[in-house]
Amino acid sequence: MNYNRKEYSEDELIALYKGILKPRMIEERMLVLLRQGKVSKWFSGIGQEAISVGSAMALEQDEYILPLHRNLGVFTSRNVPLDRLFAQFQGKKTGFTKGRDRSFHFGSNEHHIVGMISHLGPQLAVADGIALADLLDKKEKVTLVYSGDGGASEGDFHEALNVAAVWGLPVIFMIENNGYGLSTPSNEQFKFKQFIDKGPAYGMDALQIDGNNLLEVYHTVKQTAASMRKNPRPVLIEAMTFRMRGHEEASGTKYVPQELFEKWAKKDPVENYEKYLLDELILTPKAVETIREELKAEIEEGLQTAFATPMPVANRQEEIADMYKPYVQQPVAPASSAKTEKRFVDAISDGLRQSMERYPELVLMGQDIAEYGGVFKITEGFVDKFGKERVRNTPLCESAILGIGLGMSVKGKKSMVEMQFADFVSVGFNQIVNNLAKSHYRWGQHADVVVRMPTGAGTAAGPFHSQSNEAWFFHTPGLKIVYPSSPYDAKGLLNAAIEDPNPVMYFEHKLLYRSISQEIPDDYYTIEIGKAKTVAEGDDISIITYGMGVHWAKQLQQEMPEISLEILDLRSLLPWDKEAVRNTVAKTGRVIILHEDTLTGGIGGEIAAWIGENCFEHLDGPVARVASLDTAIPFAPPLEAEFLPKQRLREKVEAILAY
Ligand SMILES: Cc1ncc(C[n+]2csc(CCOP(=O)(O)OP(=O)(O)O)c2C)c(N)n1
């Protein structure tokens, strides 16, 4: 192997040697422990250490790195204390996730590391978000993120590179091309020749390097990062390497031809570098021995401490509470009594504008939201007031934009991501339910992101512009969901959602945008998340509902003056107001849960079950649900009317009264 020490001092070269030897020695020890059944699973990076170590050591300490499952060298290069690292591997509380996630699935802001989720690709966009925050704050920093050649087939890879290129984000996309994704060789993974061919296609520079040559990796990343700090832009680096062990230890290596192991064994990044330093008389055999002994002692000490730590004891309250960043909302009342008549759509816009004024760290992202003002014109005029940096048109990359929201949170920013239609959130689903929602529980990093969801049917827009999909998120701990039904609530809940440091899904019904209006305070105010509102007092039946359902129930009350409906508008779905539900059930004894979403697996099922379990003694009849048909949403108005529950509400009210 050809090493070129360039201008690097002997101290630097020796530091690199210690840097690369450490993960190798830890791994060798791990393999023994694995055989002894003392660690459960191990993804080996043996043979690939030069990439993790060379690149991590080339960056400044406060530049973020987003490693994968083979990048032990990133953690050791950032001097993560070994006792904590091993405690993490063993599921101990003294690790980085309180025993909640395994191996390398953690981040540590102290070490400027954001770890992976198992899905591999999503963190590429998180790196974009960190880089965007730096760019907006005019900090001359780069962010480094890794991808394997297999994970690069994911759509997330494309989206993250595309957005980084369009926005000129200083991200190094380091592709560790080791020829295999688990057992799948490159020729069954992709058809192109090499990853550097992709760089120009995205409009970014791309470099190919020998990933086993520590000095080449180190030098390339150092030079590239220096240039990117001055001239922010993404760069793709393809590091050619080979995985000397199985995908993980249990998977074996039978699927890899033996000659490949023989060929790559000659290119071992640790042995070759050690030999180079010995040949150049930069190290003596004695010095090598001393370094190894020191590392061995450090590793053993770390292991002893970790092994001596007991397994975590579950504390139910703590487990549940940690899904969210601790935050006690202090509702804000409007500063004056000034009010103006506003439509639902204008109330949302008003809240968003005032939140932008209140939070300079708030950034809006969405398709066509800048000069065009968004398809529903909610951000019309925002670019003139707040500038394009904070009101960002995005490419059609929902997944990446949501991941960017998480990355921005790492740097203390707030984001609002507008889905053009709530239906399109399905292509960003993974980022929301697995990354944004679980991040705080896993390693204490909150996701300060509000996702605005123009939702609902009644506009003859067919199956993909009409869906109610709040139930997808209702089932996901870690998220909050709000769903206003009036202009007053729309503004107050949006402001509250933005204030809240946790990820909030904000549903806004499109049919309400321009069909209802109300006098609402001109000043900034918030409404408490998790609090329902009784919008009509009544005695005969409680209708527990939200969104459009509130209006259907009100209309029915007008059409049936002979009965007395109590209408409870939930306003927040996660958390939802159990006390208000209990009170109304106790009052009327008869309950209908009404929602526009389809029946099966809808939120009504959960609320009905809870009422059955907790309010049984108050009930005078069965808890009923009225919801849309369990079909996709049809386009033609007569079909859509049959799909929606409005007509069936009256029938159900009559049936419950007659029960
Ligand atoms: C979305 C998703 N699909 C499948 C897997 C299972 N899986 C984990 S690692 C892996 C192979 C990854 O290969 P590559 O990206 O080349 O990285 P390497 O393991 O070679 O370092 C697979 C299929 C996963 N974790 N996530």
Side-chain angles (χ1 to χ4, degrees):
M1 198 172 291
N2 260 336
Y3 289 101
N4 182 346
R5 66 179 283 184
K6 311 257 181 205
E7 71 283 5
Y8 301 118
S9 68
E10 293 203 352
D11 283 351
E12 233 168 332
L13 296 178
I14 293 169
L16 280 165
Y17 173 66
K18 290 180 180 169
I20 197 166
L21 192 56
K22 193 166 172 179
R24 172 65 59 94
M25 287 180 67
I26 292 173
E27 283 232 35
E28 285 167 348
R29 190 72 176 92
M30 284 297 155
L31 296 182
V32 174
L33 293 172
L34 199 70
R35 280 195 287 275
Q36 294 171 345
K38 290 187 181 156
V39 287
S40 63
K41 200 163 184 158
W42 189 255
F43 293 91
S44 173
I46 289 185
Q48 303 188 192
E49 298 97 330
I51 300 169
S52 308
V53 174
S55 54
M57 289 184 70
L59 294 193
E60 289 166 7
Q61 287 298 312
D62 62 349
E63 289 179 315
Y64 268 87
I65 307 185
L66 294 90
L68 278 175
H69 49 292
R70 282 184 219 296
N71 297 122
L72 171 62
V74 168
F75 298 92
T76 53
S77 299
R78 281 281 158 96
N79 292 317
V80 172
L82 293 189
D83 57 334
R84 278 196 81 187
L85 193 60
F86 298 149
Q88 169 65 23
F89 296 161
Q90 293 170 14
K92 304 282 171 70
K93 203 157 185 167
T94 47
F96 290 86
T97 63
K98 299 188 180 175
R100 292 169 183 162
D101 207 341
R102 65 186 197 194
S103 58
F104 298 110
H105 292 196
F106 71 95
S108 165
N109 282 317
E110 186 190 338
H111 300 95
H112 298 90
I113 290 174
V114 174
M116 65 189 295
I117 62 168
S118 293
H119 302 67
L120 309 167
Q123 84 199 50
L124 294 157
V126 180
D128 282 1
I130 294 172
L132 174 60
D134 281 338
L135 198 64
L136 294 177
D137 292 340
K138 311 219 170 350
K139 293 196 176 133
E140 295 183 350
K141 298 280 168 212
V142 303
T143 301
L144 167 66
V145 63
Y146 301 85
S147 172
D149 46 284
S153 297
E154 290 180 30
D156 278 321
F157 178 85
H158 161 72
E159 290 196 12
L161 269 71
N162 187 55
V163 179
V166 174
W167 288 358
L169 304 177
V171 180
I172 297 177
F173 293 100
M174 175 70 78
I175 298 161
E176 298 190 61
N177 188 349
N178 64 13
Y180 284 84
L182 213 160
S183 75
T184 306
S186 292
N187 64 351
E188 292 182 42
Q189 187 73 249
F190 51 83
K191 188 74 181 164
F192 52 87
K193 191 166 153 246
Q194 51 192 353
F195 280 91
I196 43 168
D197 295 343
K198 294 200 152 195
Y202 284 108
M204 71 174 77
D205 295 336
L207 308 162
Q208 193 175 60
I209 56 173
D210 178 351
N212 281 28
N213 185 325
L214 182 58
L215 291 188
E216 190 173 331
V217 176
Y218 181 69
H219 183 68
T220 306
V221 174
K222 229 178 162 51
Q223 296 283 104
T224 307
S227 148
M228 287 166 64
R229 287 181 200 114
K230 292 289 163 215
N231 172 18
R233 65 194 191 283
V235 175
L236 182 158
I237 301 180
E238 178 178 16
M240 308 307 291
T241 189
F242 188 71
R243 195 186 69 199
M244 291 302 284
R245 302 196 64 86
H247 167 65
E248 47 103 13
E249 285 310 307
S251 69
T253 54
K254 276 205 185 107
Y255 46 86
V256 182
Q258 189 53 32
E259 58 266 27
L260 280 180
F261 286 112
E262 286 157 16
K263 174 183 156 197
W264 283 90
K266 296 195 186 95
K267 289 169 65 90
D268 184 282
V270 182
E271 286 170 16
N272 276 286
Y273 187 60
E274 184 180 284
K275 183 170 178 314
Y276 164 73
L277 295 181
L278 288 168
D279 290 350
E280 294 290 312
L281 304 178
I282 295 167
L283 277 181
T284 62
K286 178 88 190 97
V288 167
E289 206 183 301
T290 311
I291 292 170
R292 283 181 177 272
E293 270 162 18
E294 281 167 9
L295 284 175
K296 185 163 185 269
E298 188 189 343
I299 294 167
E300 289 313 316
E301 198 187 317
L303 277 174
Q304 268 177 26
T305 310
F307 276 125
T309 309
M311 286 307 277
V313 178
N315 173 329
R316 190 178 301 171
Q317 279 74 31
E318 189 184 346
E319 289 303 297
I320 292 169
D322 275 359
M323 282 310 306
Y324 297 90
K325 181 177 163 92
Y327 161 74
V328 180
Q329 187 187 348
Q330 308 288 346
V332 179
S336 77
S337 57
K339 285 189 175 173
T340 307
E341 177 92 10
K342 289 220 161 72
R343 297 175 304 174
F344 193 78
V345 70
D346 303 323
I348 298 171
S349 184
D350 202 31
L352 202 53
R353 185 177 48 77
Q354 289 178 350
S355 285
M356 284 290 273
E357 286 161 355
R358 194 176 176 96
Y359 296 106
E361 69 272 31
L362 173 62
V363 175
L364 311 183
M365 295 181 278
Q367 286 150 28
D368 309 290
I369 69 162
E371 291 84 352
Y372 188 69
V375 291
F376 298 109
K377 302 295 170 203
I378 283 171
T379 50
E380 194 155 49
F382 275 45
V383 173
D384 294 341
K385 196 160 169 30
F386 302 108
K388 277 204 81 163
E389 292 205 323
R390 291 182 66 204
V391 185
R392 306 186 73 87
N393 270 344
T394 70
L396 271 89
C397 293
E398 281 81 359
S399 180
I401 301 305
L402 289 159
I404 285 172
L406 176 56
M408 297 264 278
S409 311
V410 170
K411 287 274 175 168
K413 301 266 182 214
K414 285 180 172 290
S415 322
M416 187 290 299
V417 180
E418 176 180 306
M419 291 291 124
Q420 202 154 63
F421 285 81
D423 309 66
F424 304 143
V425 79
S426 51
V427 291
F429 190 67
N430 187 43
Q431 287 284 16
I432 296 177
V433 302
N434 282 320
N435 229 352
L436 273 55
K438 296 180 174 46
S439 177
H440 189 268
Y441 176 77
R442 292 174 51 244
W443 64 281
Q445 174 58 56
H446 68 290
D448 199 344
V449 182
V450 172
V451 186
R452 281 196 26 247
M453 303 277 281
T455 193
T459 55
F464 305 116
H465 287 78
S466 314
Q467 286 173 85
S468 293
N469 51 24
E470 62 272 17
W472 298 351
F473 304 100
F474 184 66
H475 190 61
T476 304
L479 299 178
K480 295 189 180 183
I481 306 175
V482 295
Y483 200 142
S485 71
S486 68
Y488 176 78
D489 289 354
K491 178 172 169 180
L493 281 173
L494 180 59
N495 286 337
I498 291 170
E499 226 177 82
D500 196 312
N502 292 289
V504 184
M505 308 299 294
Y506 177 93
F507 284 85
E508 48 195 65
H509 202 295
K510 304 189 296 285
L511 204 57
L512 297 179
Y513 277 156
R514 292 173 171 78
S515 65
I516 58 168
S517 62
Q518 183 183 16
E519 277 214 324
I520 66 165
D522 291 339
D523 297 316
Y524 178 92
Y525 64 95
T526 64
I527 289 172
E528 198 175 343
I529 292 179
K531 280 274 176 286
K533 179 159 82 180
T534 305
V535 293
E537 300 260 359
D539 304 312
D540 295 334
I541 301 184
S542 296
I543 307 227
I544 299 171
T545 187
Y546 55 92
M548 203 62 203
V550 174
H551 299 276
W552 290 329
K554 279 186 185 167
Q555 200 182 331
L556 186 71
Q557 176 68 88
Q558 278 175 4
E559 289 166 16
M560 298 179 81
E562 67 282 9
I563 57 156
S564 165
L565 297 178
E566 169 133 316
I567 304 171
L568 183 71
D569 180 359
L570 288 173
R571 306 199 289 185
S572 289
L573 304 180
L574 198 63
W576 56 277
D577 191 342
K578 296 189 168 85
E579 200 185 319
V581 168
R582 185 196 295 279
N583 290 342
T584 190
V585 175
K587 182 174 173 191
T588 67
R590 292 192 177 91
V591 190
I592 293 175
I593 303 153
L594 166 69
H595 55 63
E596 177 176 326
D597 197 358
T598 50
L599 183 76
T600 303
I603 285 166
E606 176 63 25
I607 296 174
W610 187 87
I611 294 173
E613 280 177 346
N614 295 282
C615 309
F616 187 70
E617 66 279 11
H618 297 302
L619 289 172
D620 295 329
V623 180
R625 288 174 298 158
V626 179
S628 288
L629 296 182
D630 283 327
T631 67
I633 304 177
F635 161 57
L639 301 183
E640 192 184 41
E642 173 59 19
F643 165 81
L644 289 169
K646 196 175 163 194
Q647 299 173 39
R648 291 184 290 280
L649 179 61
R650 173 189 278 264
E651 292 159 23
K652 191 61 92 179
V653 165
E654 285 164 352
I656 292 289
L657 278 178
Y659 180 82

